[in-house]
Amino acid sequence: MIRVLIVDDEIQLAQAFKKQLSKEDMDVTTVASGIEALKIIDQEDFDVAVLDIKLPDIDGIDLLSKLRQAEPTLEIIMLTGYASVDTAIRSMKLGAYDYLTKPCKISELSSVISKAYEKKSLKDKNILLKEHIQRISVQDEFVGNSTQMQKVKDLISLVAATDTPVLIQGETGTGKELAARAIHSSSPRASNPFVAINSSALQESMLESELFGYKKGAFTGAHNNKPGLLEIANEGTFFVDEIGDMSPPIQAKLLRVLENGTFMKLGDTKETRVDVRFVFATNKDLTSEVKEGRFRKDLFFRMNAFVIQLPPLREKKEDIPLLAEYFLIKFARAGIKKHLSERVKELLKGYYWPGNVRELANVIERACLISMDRNEIMPEDLPEAIFTPGYNQIRGPDIKVKEGSASLAELEIEHIRYVLNSVGGNKSKAARILGISRKKLYNKLENI
Ligand SMILES: Nc1ncnc2c1ncn2[C@@H]1O[C@H](COP(=O)(O)OP(=O)(O)OP(=O)(O)O)[C@@H](O)[C@H]1O
Ligand SMILES: [Mg+2]
C-alpha cells in the first residue's frame, strides 16, 4: 500500500483524487495548507507527497525543501495550475520527482505516484545496504588473539555458512552484539538486512507490535499498516538481544517463527511467512531461567542448537594490551600516537573488568583525554576503581581472601557494593552484571 499525502487548497479536487487513488490500493491523506502538511509529516510516514505549487500559506517550492529536509526519502510530485518551465526546473533542482500541470488526468497522476514509489523503495533498500557496508568491516574489528577468541572466531566462521539459530552467551560488554553482526556479515545473507531488537528495552505490547507488525485498525491508534521487524529482516539475520527478558507469550509466538517461519500480525487474519536467520544473545543463565519456569523449555532447546560463549575479559588477559592498543588508536586525536606505560599495562591486566571490553574501551577513551598532549598513558590517567585496594587481588579466578576473614555473605555484600560502584550506582546495570533481577538486588540492598 503506497502512503500518499496530497497538499492542495482546492479541497474538492483533492477529495476527488483521494477517492480515485484509494481504489488503486493507495492510502491517501489530504491537507489544505503547508502548515498542516509539515505537522502531519512529523506524525505519520508517507512514501509520496503531491504538492500544489500555489498554497495559501507557504509557497509550494519552499514547502518542497522543508518536506525534503524533514523526510529525506519522501518522493515529491509538484502540481500547478499553469505551465511554467521555470518553476518546473526549480522544483526538479530542489529534488522533486516530477511535475504535472493541472488539470491532469487521474491515470497520469496515479502512474507518476507509482513510479515515484518505486524510486523511494529503491532508496530505502540502498540505505539498508549502505548501513550494511559500514558494518561489513566488523570482523576485522574483532580484536583478540587469545585461544578463547580464536575459538570464538572459528565458531563464527563455521556457523555463518548455515541457517542454524545461534545463542551467544556472555557477561555484559563481552562483544555479543559484535559477534552477532560478524555472523551476519560472514554469512550468505550478508547483502540482506541485519535487524536487531532488544527484548528488555521495550514494554511487552510494544515489543509485540515491533516484532510482528500490525494491520491498520488492529487497535486504537493503528492508523496505518505497519510491517514488523521480522518482515524487514526477511532474507537477512534477526538479532534478538536479551532474549532472557522476553515474556512467555511472546516466546511462544517466536518459537512458531523459528519452527515454520510464520506468524500472525496483530489484527490480521492471514499468516505472514518470512525467511530469517536467528541469532540470540543473553547474559542470563537460561538453564536456571528454564528451571524456574520463566523461560520456555521448547524455545530454549531450539535456540540452544549452537552456543557461542564469549569469555569475560579477565579470563583472556593476554588480549587486554591488544584491545587497549586498538582503543588507543581509535580514541587518540588524529595524528597523535599514544602508548601505555608498563605499569599501566600491569594494572589493566590485574583488574577484574566487571564491564568487560566496553569498560576497557571507556577507560582508554577517558585516559586519552586526561593525558592531553602526553604520549605515554600513565597510572594517574586511569580511574580510581582500577586501584581499589585489594580488588585486583580478591576478584576473579584467583580470589585471595585472608583465611577465615570473610563469610560468603560478607563477600557477596562487598561484591555487590563494588559492582554498584563500578556502574556509578545504576541498579539496573548492576543487577545485569550480577546476573540477578533488580527486585532481588533491592532485597539484598535492604539487608545491608
Ligand atoms: N573483541 C573485541 N574487539 C573490539 N571491540 C570489542 C570486542 N568485544 C567488544 N568490543 C566492543 O565493546 C563494546 C561492547 O560490545 P557489545 O555491545 O557487542 O557487548 P554486549 O556483549 O552486547 O554487551 P551488553 O550485554 O551490555 O549488551 C562495543 O563497543 C564493541 O565494539
Ligand atoms: Mg548487547
Side-chain angles (χ1 to χ4, degrees), residues 138 140-144 149 153 168-181 198 239 241-242 281-283 310 316 319 323 326-327 330-331 355-362 429 432:
V138 140
D140 309 329
E141 288 174 12
F142 224 118
V143 180
M149 283 316 279
K153 287 183 192 174
I168 305 173
Q169 284 179 321
E171 291 178 12
T172 182
T174 45
K176 296 187 290 296
E177 179 156 355
L178 200 62
R181 290 184 191 279
N198 186 327
F239 175 50
D241 208 353
E242 313 289 355
T282 181
N283 56 17
L310 290 181
K316 45 168 188 171
D319 285 345
L323 279 160
Y326 167 76
F327 291 126
K330 189 166 168 187
F331 295 122
N356 294 294
V357 185
R358 182 183 293 113
E359 189 183 3
L360 176 61
N362 292 342
K429 267 194 199 157
R432 266 173 58 189

